[in-house]
Amino acid sequence: MSRHSLLIIFILLSAIPAIPQESSDYPIPVDETDEPMAKGAFEPTWESLRNYQVPEWFRNAKFGIWAHWGAQCVEGSGDWMARGLYIEDNGQSIYHREHYGHPSEFGYKDILPLFKAERWNPEELVKFYKEIGAEYFFALGNHHDNYDLWDSKYQEWNSMNIGPKRDILREWAEAAKKVGLPFGISFHADHAWTWFETSRRFDLKGDKRGRLYDGWLTKEDGFVLNADGSEKWWKGYDPQKLYAQSHDLSEGTWDNVAVHRQWGWEGGACPPSKEFVTNFYNRTLDAINRYKPDLIYFDVTVLPFYPVSDAGMKIAAHFYNTAMNKKLIENTNKTKDVKTTGVLFGKILDEQQKDAMVWDVERGAPNQIASRVWQCCNCIGDWHYNTRVYENGQYKSASTIVKLLVDIVSKNGNMLLSVPLRADGTFDEKEEAILKEFGAWMKVNKESIVGTRPWRVFGEGPIADSDIKINAQGFNDGEYAKAGASEIRYTTKDNCIYATALAWPEDMTMSLRSLAAEKIKSVELLGYGQVKYAQTAEGVKVVLPKRVNDIAPVLKIVSK
């Protein structure tokens, strides 16, 4: 069939509303033939998964760093560039066309060989992350671009075959183990199905109007010679294993924001095939079995493919069953008493689901103490490296990172901070300066963060007293970044209460109304020593003797 005929069919299909699938088509059961789910204490049911208990090591950790890094960093145009390059007139598409070519001729598949990681030194990076206060480390396993960053058995488009020719996950895992940091992997490729639908578009104007983008290509196209008679570099590889577009289009496929409302698979997304679901399941179990992560992050509503498939539930059960504490297994004959050491995250969870995994809030926080441990994932800049963020000085400052961290920990949360790397595997000098400043603050004040628990109240101040809503999966961190010296946050450990002002007060005075009735033995400014205080019915007032850092003062209050 000619490309012209395909174009006509595409236009006709786009005009026909999608027909909802019958309920009998669900669920889409995963095929365990190649990667059987590990048996053990956990079964792929909510009743079983709700027996999960968050391990103490994670409750104590509080702060992790994430290398949200892969081939989408090549162009330096920010997050979702592999999707954006196919959106006509999008800034990422304009940049791609100007520097690399038209997406009918030079698409995302052609970016992958340019990802070299030539200056990447995982040991040095992970060691640095630990030095500045990280208690766990996360690496990207794959993103929505469907490119696996390891020697993948089930995805030929991977970092060993194409690009750096290195097993990225293996090297990250070894580096984390060497410095004693728990290791996490994030998996995002389950949404390539809808996310890459833009690769099947074409220009609506200009001299290349109607020319199909390379998301239409198949393996057979790779055996057709280039115009100069040379062979295509990707001969033998199947572009559809990367773009995953051998399916009907989702509702509103030309609506650039439709992908967001279809994130949960029930907003008009074309249902994923059993083959696609099983492929993601196999790839994820392959990585779990090889690299034995302590943590897994899914950028999804609840679990991958939930509720249209059991794949996510089986991945969760497999992960928990393979992350068992061997010492506990050896010392008990009761399977139900065995605890997993693994931590798995999901977004937009109901109360039942929050028992089964750790709730992740993206770029945000609840404005109350959560009854269960949770995590905020946030980023110092854009998720993937963005040159404009660097050039325009748009990174979060060290003081902003501290504000967010202290607020999160006071509410029973952990913070996972993404530090985007350039394609060569390094961060820039502005990121380095911010991280070093943050690390200097952590070196002195870490005891108020790591190993702590929420106090009776999480804090006080105008923001603490406000009703700040979470937007979808988060996205309210801008409200907390505004916090000033009037915002106080509390944590506790042993017989100590830690009170942090989220900025230095101009009058060098901290007033702590929540401590009015507390029996106090002593008050210390971390980084300085004992300080004088006055306690009245209105609270505790402390005059700070000097600035001991440029970010935020932390008081250590010892109770009688």
Side-chain angles (χ1 to χ4, degrees):
M1 184 179 292
S2 69
R3 296 291 175 85
H4 180 71
S5 299
L6 284 172
L7 175 58
I8 293 173
I9 293 171
F10 176 86
I11 293 171
L12 290 173
L13 286 174
S14 298
I16 301 173
I19 299 173
Q21 297 291 312
E22 296 293 331
S23 60
S24 59
D25 292 337
Y26 301 100
I28 303 167
V30 71
D31 184 347
E32 296 183 60
T33 301
D34 294 320
E35 294 289 342
M37 184 193 79
K39 305 298 182 181
F42 293 92
E43 296 292 334
T45 65
W46 289 120
E47 181 181 8
S48 177
L49 295 176
R50 288 184 69 189
N51 292 320
Y52 173 70
Q53 296 180 39
V54 179
E56 283 297 295
W57 76 259
F58 183 74
R59 297 190 69 199
N60 292 331
K62 305 303 181 186
F63 180 65
I65 285 186
W66 187 6
H68 196 281
W69 172 66
Q72 287 185 86
C73 298
V74 167
E75 297 192 17
S77 60
D79 198 33
W80 283 32
M81 64 74 56
R83 173 180 166 85
L85 76 85
Y86 296 105
I87 300 176
E88 190 175 10
D89 293 333
N90 175 291
Q92 291 171 322
S93 179
I94 293 170
Y95 182 88
H96 177 84
R97 293 168 188 233
E98 290 177 349
H99 293 82
Y100 298 93
H102 191 267
S104 66
E105 302 160 348
F106 197 105
Y108 185 62
K109 71 179 186 314
D110 303 293
I111 291 295
L112 298 181
L114 305 181
F115 176 49
K116 300 296 187 183
E118 61 270 26
R119 298 176 61 198
W120 176 55
N121 188 323
E123 286 192 9
E124 287 186 1
L125 286 168
V126 175
K127 180 181 177 183
F128 174 72
Y129 297 150
K130 183 175 183 178
E131 288 173 351
I132 64 171
E135 295 288 315
Y136 55 102
F137 169 74
F138 253 96
L140 194 70
N142 50 40
H143 200 249
H144 313 314
D145 64 349
N146 216 19
Y147 173 65
D148 284 354
L149 291 159
W150 75 93
D151 186 16
S152 181
K153 288 170 61 178
Y154 301 100
Q155 171 58 299
E156 61 189 29
W157 297 83
N158 67 63
S159 62
M160 279 294 286
N161 290 342
I162 303 167
K165 305 295 178 70
R166 296 169 71 173
D167 187 330
I168 302 292
L169 281 190
R170 179 183 61 77
E171 294 188 49
W172 277 131
E174 290 174 352
K177 183 178 181 180
K178 187 171 183 178
V179 299
L181 285 184
F183 175 60
I185 305 174
S186 67
F187 300 96
H188 311 242
D190 51 314
H191 276 287
W193 184 262
T194 53
W195 192 81
F196 255 141
E197 284 189 16
T198 56
S199 70
R200 281 198 286 176
R201 294 184 184 180
F202 48 86
D203 283 3
L204 297 175
K205 59 186 180 181
D207 61 350
K208 291 184 173 62
R209 179 184 179 189
R211 186 176 296 181
L212 301 177
Y213 300 159
D214 72 334
W216 292 90
L217 294 175
T218 65
K219 185 174 182 177
E220 288 68 29
D221 292 306
F223 294 93
V224 179
L225 296 179
N226 291 306
D228 61 1
S230 61
E231 291 187 338
K232 289 181 169 58
W233 75 264
W234 50 275
K235 179 181 178 181
Y237 288 100
D238 186 354
Q240 288 310 312
K241 290 185 178 179
L242 178 68
Y243 297 128
Q245 292 307 300
S246 297
H247 61 81
D248 291 340
L249 294 167
S250 299
E251 291 180 7
T253 188
W254 280 75
D255 179 354
N256 293 332
V257 299
V259 69
H260 298 288
R261 63 176 176 267
Q262 294 166 358
W263 212 248
W265 294 104
E266 297 175 300
C270 174
S273 68
K274 183 174 182 177
E275 179 184 14
F276 181 77
V277 168
T278 298
N279 178 257
F280 178 84
Y281 167 89
N282 285 341
R283 289 155 67 185
T284 305
L285 261 63
D286 175 39
I288 292 172
N289 294 339
R290 289 195 200 199
Y291 310 111
K292 298 177 173 50
D294 303 286
L295 313 97
I296 290 180
Y297 170 100
F298 291 122
D299 190 6
V300 298
T301 302
V302 189
L303 285 167
F305 305 109
Y306 183 83
V308 302
S309 174
D310 58 353
M313 303 286 283
K314 288 187 173 180
I315 292 171
H318 177 89
F319 173 58
Y320 288 160
N321 286 334
T322 56
M324 287 296 185
N325 187 321
K326 291 183 173 58
K327 290 183 179 179
L328 284 175
I329 292 174
E330 292 168 357
N331 294 334
T332 181
N333 292 321
K334 297 180 180 180
T335 304
K336 66 179 182 179
D337 293 332
V338 177
K339 296 179 181 178
T340 182
T341 59
V343 183
L344 184 148
F345 304 92
K347 297 179 178 179
I348 314 181
L349 307 179
D350 64 25
E351 293 308 305
Q352 175 182 248
Q353 293 157 354
K354 287 178 183 177
D355 283 339
M357 66 190 84
V358 174
W359 178 37
D360 182 84
V361 180
E362 183 174 350
R363 294 185 185 267
N367 209 31
Q368 60 188 356
I369 298 174
S371 59
R372 306 171 184 84
V373 181
W374 59 283
Q375 176 182 266
C376 166
C377 62
N378 212 318
C379 188
I380 194 173
D382 206 350
W383 287 111
H384 281 98
Y385 192 83
N386 192 327
T387 304
R388 287 175 299 171
V389 172
Y390 165 76
E391 293 174 344
N392 297 329
Q394 295 173 328
Y395 289 129
K396 288 181 176 66
S397 65
S399 61
T400 295
I401 296 170
V402 168
K403 286 179 186 181
L404 297 176
L405 173 64
V406 172
D407 177 76
I408 289 162
V409 172
S410 73
K411 300 170 183 174
N412 205 24
N414 288 22
M415 181 178 182
L416 177 63
L417 181 68
S418 169
V419 181
L421 300 174
R422 292 174 289 203
D424 67 2
T426 63
F427 46 70
D428 61 54
E429 78 282 358
K430 292 181 181 179
E431 292 175 297
E432 182 178 17
I434 292 166
L435 292 174
K436 285 184 174 179
E437 185 181 0
F438 169 80
W441 186 89
M442 279 289 283
K443 186 175 182 179
V444 174
N445 300 289
K446 189 174 182 178
E447 67 174 271
S448 68
I449 301 293
V450 176
T452 63
R453 297 291 182 268
W455 191 49
R456 290 197 296 267
V457 297
F458 76 84
E460 56 194 59
I463 294 175
D465 298 338
S466 300
D467 183 18
I468 299 175
K469 303 296 185 183
I470 286 178
N471 303 312
Q473 65 259 42
F475 300 110
N476 63 0
D477 62 333
E479 295 299 314
Y480 298 107
K482 300 174 184 175
S486 60
E487 292 293 331
I488 307 296
R489 296 294 182 266
Y490 297 101
T491 58
T492 185
K493 181 166 52 180
D494 300 326
N495 65 331
C496 299
I497 302 164
Y498 297 93
T500 304
L502 299 188
W504 281 90
E506 291 186 6
D507 64 358
M508 296 295 285
T509 300
M510 286 178 65
S511 296
L512 313 172
R513 68 172 185 262
S514 300
L515 292 174
E518 192 72 22
K519 295 181 179 180
I520 297 174
K521 181 178 180 181
S522 64
V523 178
E524 174 187 347
L525 173 63
L526 295 186
Y528 176 82
Q530 297 287 324
V531 294
K532 295 181 179 180
Y533 65 95
Q535 188 172 25
T536 67
E538 284 72 42
V540 171
K541 184 175 182 179
V542 178
V543 177
L544 303 171
K546 61 179 291 187
R547 281 179 175 262
V548 292
N549 59 64
D550 294 325
I551 295 179
V554 182
L555 297 177
K556 180 179 180 179
I557 299 111
V558 179
S559 301
K560 290 182 180 178

